[in-house]
Amino acid sequence: GHKVKEVSKGIVITTNEDDIFESAVIAKKALKEELEELRFHFNSLDVLAHQIVGLSLEYGRIDLKKTYEIFKRSYFYRNLSYKEFLDVCEQLKQLGLIFLDSSIRKKRRGFEYYFSQLSTIPSLKQFKIFNILDNSFVGVLDEEFVALHGEIGSTFVVKGEAWRILDITEDKVLVEPTIDLEAAIPAWEGELIPVPFDVAQEVGKLRGEIAKLLISKSEEEILSFLTENYPIDINCAKKMIGLIKNQFKFGIPDDKNILIESYEDLLIIHACFGSLVNETLGRFISALLTSRIGSVALRVDPYRIIIKAPVKVEEYVKEILLKTDPKLLKTYIELSIAKSNLFEWKFVHVAKRFGAISKDAEYGKITLKKIIEEYSNSPIYRETLRELEVEKLDLERTEEILRKIQSGEIKISFIQGLSPLGKIGIVG
């Protein structure tokens, strides 16, 4: 149906029960013509820097106040403070891209910078994966995956097999095969689109609804309900019912209930809050745990936060969720994220867009840490934090979730052992 005036038809193929629930909800929302919430970038300082240089090239010399007023006319910069604007101008002056006094004047270096940074889309390099046992080529990983998960000793899945990272060079990841599938980071599939909060909540509601129906209705009646209300086939409906039936004795994590289960050295927090909230909540919990017991490993998906720790952490997590002031969330997250691989990865792209790092620069971890320290509290540093908070986190909604947990609106229950939903999160 890819023609004008025709209706396109498609089939969604799912790989596990998580996918079935999520796809059913998204397909229903699409048929109801519901749109995903949009998140915008306001006061982007790297874009501001680029356009300031652009104005200097266009006018040759332009008054500071006039430049500021031009930006304030834009919807996305309507709340830009004069101090923020001046900080960016000062940064550009220090980088040798403009002359600055009571006006902004063009500088020769500004031409090269302006025309080499015409896009905010970063050019990502790829790392080749080699099996160290026989030096065979395994596949490739994107720069972001290496930045986020590329710790020596961590494991990941690619092409259906688990691999442990032994070393990372400038363009290679050296690995060995491992059978430790349960500890593996979810398979590398490129950058997945985050699952929105509303979709994850709807998945939770659907789980709860099936659980209620199982108490009073026959399986045939539940099958009819699912196939009538969601665009799914009978096989998917059976899988959904089977999962909730098997999960029943452990408790059903839904839109209003968090289930926390302990299994060996893992703590699995079932939370139907979507990718961004779970990422934020997971980093918040791991930051506070690290300050108490040392380093912990964290994995997150739209329906779970999985923590691997050397000791039992249920009581710590309970205290963190129920006792920590939600107003402190932003502070804890920013302190934690500023030390992360994710921050380093994003900082490089922002610094390049500012012209602080050349486009083809090569640098090691130690050099990069020194560069970040040098630019601490600069517009580049602040822009890195801002972008991460928009693209990877949801501070506002996570703060609201914490309040609801502490008021009892969202309930928490603890169990021992691995439930069917927990197994999906670990093995995928």
Side-chain angles (χ1 to χ4, degrees):
H2 282 207
K3 291 179 184 174
V4 177
K5 295 183 180 177
E6 283 194 24
V7 177
S8 299
K9 292 180 183 178
I11 296 170
V12 179
I13 299 172
T14 56
T15 56
N16 63 24
E17 286 89 342
D18 265 4
D19 270 2
I20 295 172
F21 274 89
E22 190 178 288
S23 300
V25 166
I26 290 172
K28 183 178 179 179
K29 283 181 173 291
L31 291 171
K32 286 168 70 181
E33 300 186 358
E34 291 180 25
L35 290 176
E36 188 179 321
E37 178 190 355
L38 294 175
R39 303 188 91 202
F40 296 103
H41 285 268
F42 293 97
N43 295 346
S44 300
L45 301 183
D46 49 359
V47 173
L48 178 68
H50 185 260
Q51 293 303 298
I52 288 170
V53 173
L55 287 172
S56 77
L57 298 180
E58 183 171 346
Y59 289 94
R61 175 195 284 268
I62 181 168
D63 180 72
L64 269 172
K65 285 279 171 67
K66 181 182 176 183
T67 311
Y68 177 62
E69 288 306 322
I70 289 172
F71 283 108
K72 288 282 282 183
R73 295 201 314 246
S74 162
Y75 177 77
F76 297 99
Y77 290 96
R78 69 194 190 283
N79 296 320
L80 179 73
S81 72
Y82 192 59
K83 185 186 180 303
E84 285 176 303
F85 168 72
L86 282 181
D87 283 350
V88 173
C89 290
E90 281 292 341
Q91 184 76 77
L92 292 170
K93 178 188 172 184
Q94 288 171 21
L95 293 169
L97 300 175
I98 58 169
F99 290 108
L100 182 67
D101 41 47
S102 60
S103 61
I104 298 165
R105 286 178 292 136
K106 69 178 179 182
K107 207 169 181 182
R108 186 174 292 176
R109 274 196 65 199
F111 281 97
E112 185 188 343
Y113 159 75
Y114 184 82
F115 289 104
S116 68
Q117 297 295 334
L118 292 175
S119 172
T120 57
I121 300 168
S123 53
L124 299 176
K125 78 174 186 181
Q126 291 192 316
F127 288 76
K128 292 182 178 177
I129 314 165
F130 287 95
N131 182 351
I132 203 162
L133 299 183
D134 57 9
N135 205 33
S136 60
F137 174 71
V138 176
V140 293
L141 293 174
D142 273 4
E143 182 181 22
E144 181 181 11
F145 187 83
V146 175
L148 299 186
H149 307 295
E151 300 289 343
I152 306 301
S154 65
T155 56
F156 64 95
V157 177
V158 72
K159 293 182 178 173
E161 294 182 66
W163 303 89
R164 181 179 287 107
I165 298 174
L166 299 177
D167 194 20
I168 299 169
T169 65
E170 285 182 8
D171 59 354
K172 291 180 188 174
V173 178
L174 304 179
V175 299
E176 66 177 0
T178 176
I179 56 169
D180 193 11
L181 263 171
E182 289 186 352
I185 297 159
W188 174 234
E189 300 165 358
E191 185 173 1
L192 296 175
I193 297 167
V195 174
F197 176 78
D198 290 343
V199 169
Q201 282 280 280
E202 199 68 43
V203 166
K205 280 180 190 168
L206 181 53
R207 286 178 182 176
E209 204 153 357
I210 294 172
K212 281 177 192 167
L213 290 171
L214 280 167
I215 298 168
S216 57
K217 303 286 183 186
S218 69
E219 190 164 320
E220 286 70 28
E221 287 175 303
I222 304 171
L223 283 171
S224 296
F225 166 79
L226 289 173
T227 50
E228 283 168 18
N229 287 279
Y230 293 89
I232 56 173
D233 66 14
I234 198 77
N235 292 320
C236 286
K238 283 179 179 175
K239 285 278 186 185
M240 292 161 90
I241 295 167
L243 176 65
I244 300 304
K245 198 184 277 186
N246 293 333
Q247 181 70 27
F248 214 89
K249 66 178 180 182
F250 296 92
I252 308 294
D254 57 27
D255 57 316
K256 293 276 193 279
N257 290 280
I258 294 172
L259 177 68
I260 301 179
E261 57 189 59
S262 298
Y263 171 69
E264 295 181 353
D265 58 353
L266 299 177
L267 191 75
I268 304 166
I269 303 168
H270 295 273
C272 297
F273 302 137
S275 305
L276 302 185
V277 171
N278 279 4
E279 184 71 36
T280 312
L281 195 56
R283 285 183 178 274
F284 169 66
I285 293 168
S286 69
L288 289 175
L289 282 177
T290 299
S291 69
R292 296 179 190 192
I293 64 165
S295 184
V296 298
L298 173 72
R299 275 174 44 202
V300 170
D301 69 39
Y303 311 101
R304 295 165 200 86
I305 297 161
I306 303 174
I307 293 164
K308 186 175 184 178
V311 295
K312 295 291 180 186
V313 293
E314 299 102 308
E315 288 304 315
Y316 290 120
V317 170
K318 187 177 182 180
E319 187 188 335
I320 288 166
L321 292 173
L322 294 174
K323 300 284 174 64
T324 313
D325 186 347
K327 288 178 186 171
L328 297 175
L329 174 77
K330 185 178 171 73
T331 305
Y332 283 127
I333 288 289
E334 289 188 350
L335 285 171
S336 164
I337 210 162
K339 300 173 189 170
S340 68
N341 289 336
L342 176 61
F343 185 88
E344 289 178 4
W345 172 78
K346 179 61 79 173
F347 180 89
V348 169
H349 298 308
V350 173
K352 284 181 178 179
R353 292 200 289 266
F354 263 93
I357 296 177
S358 67
K359 216 171 183 181
D360 306 313
E362 291 292 335
Y363 39 82
K365 282 264 185 190
I366 295 168
T367 312
L368 183 55
K369 284 188 190 301
K370 285 180 180 173
I371 295 170
I372 291 172
E373 278 175 30
E374 195 177 316
Y375 283 102
S376 177
N377 205 34
S378 68
I380 299 172
Y381 190 96
R382 293 198 299 275
E383 174 61 17
T384 304
L385 273 178
R386 190 202 64 75
E387 285 191 24
L388 288 174
E389 286 171 11
V390 171
E391 294 170 9
K392 305 292 183 185
L393 306 169
D394 190 339
L395 294 170
E396 196 177 318
R397 198 165 258 150
T398 306
E399 196 175 314
E400 185 189 329
I401 295 291
L402 277 175
R403 289 186 202 287
K404 287 183 176 180
I405 290 170
Q406 292 175 9
S407 70
E409 197 176 329
I410 293 174
K411 293 181 168 49
I412 303 176
S413 54
F414 290 80
I415 61 164
Q416 296 293 320
L418 186 66
S419 74
L421 278 169
K423 192 171 183 182
I424 292 169
I426 293 174
V427 184

